[in-house]
Amino acid sequence: MDSDTVWRHIDEQRANLADLLDGLEPQQWSTPSLCEGWTVREVAAHITHSQLPKSKMLLELLRSGFRFNTMVYRAALQDERSPGELTAVLRGMRGSRKRPPGTSEVDPLMDVLVHTQDIAVPLGIDRPMPVDAAVAAAERVWTTGFPFRAKRRLRGVELAAIDADFRVGQGRLVEAPIRDILMVLVGRPTAISARIQSLTGR
């Protein structure tokens, strides 16, 4: 996927997520998300943090003892902006190609695709995922070790998409839509999680 297409998807998915968030009732913002330990509000705040200045991001990393997961969670937890402010920031990111240091341009695409599901699924909202964008994100997750370590977690399983040209791993075959495969690769529960657990014992 070329760079312009990646960023077009990112813009569209951020705008779609802002629309979804604008339609939530106040109590839904405190719903636990698929991202373990995070609420819908904290996930929404986190997505906007990819636009933080590098200097602030490095300062936050220092304050967190250079523990990446601790840093991103603390930043989301301490973000006091209102829901309206968060959705305004999401929309304001349109056209920007900023991304955190050390990441590829596919990383913010993967981030918004996965976190949209983190928010939507617990709320009972079905959000389709563009197939070509999901494939690009899944390929990125599979070939990157930290933080998901998909190859190690899914050792002994072959994953094949039924709606896209995507196949990874070796072992017992599990077929599923690319949306479910991407979510499994990043460690989220999906319709095929029980099947994979029975095959891997993990």
Side-chain angles (χ1 to χ4, degrees), residues 8-103:
R8 176 177 56 79
H9 275 304
I10 292 170
D11 283 344
E12 290 174 354
Q13 293 303 307
R14 285 172 174 169
N16 290 344
L17 177 57
D19 289 343
L20 184 157
L21 293 170
D22 275 340
L24 299 185
E25 299 295 331
Q27 69 273 16
Q28 291 179 298
W29 284 80
S30 59
T31 300
S33 75
L34 288 186
C35 191
E36 189 175 356
W38 294 52
T39 65
V40 164
R41 188 196 176 286
E42 288 156 0
V43 173
H46 165 70
I47 295 172
T48 70
H49 293 165
S50 64
Q51 300 282 289
L52 289 175
K54 291 181 181 180
S55 57
K56 182 171 178 56
M57 194 168 291
L58 289 172
L59 178 60
E60 291 299 326
L61 191 58
L62 177 62
R63 287 175 175 168
S64 302
F66 292 96
R67 297 187 300 274
F68 178 78
N69 289 335
T70 300
M71 178 200 74
V72 295
Y73 178 65
R74 188 167 63 86
L77 192 64
Q78 294 178 352
D79 193 319
E80 297 181 348
R81 289 174 295 176
S82 70
E85 289 172 324
L86 291 174
T87 56
V89 170
L90 267 177
R91 289 194 174 91
M93 292 161 69
R94 185 178 184 86
S96 170
R97 296 198 173 190
K98 280 186 180 180
R99 51 188 169 85
T103 63

Side-chain angles (χ1 to χ4, degrees), residues 113-124:
L113 290 174
V114 169
H115 287 318
T116 294
Q117 299 299 314
D118 285 339
I119 290 169
V121 171
L123 295 174

Side-chain angles (χ1 to χ4, degrees), residues 157-164 166-168 171-181 184 190-193 195-196 199:
V157 174
E158 181 180 7
L159 294 169
I162 61 175
D163 55 352
F166 182 84
R167 184 181 292 262
V168 294
R172 298 288 294 277
L173 177 63
V174 176
E175 297 179 305
I178 188 63
R179 176 172 63 173
D180 286 349
I181 289 176
V184 162
T190 75
I192 60 173
S193 295
R195 164 84 170 144
I196 290 173
L199 295 176

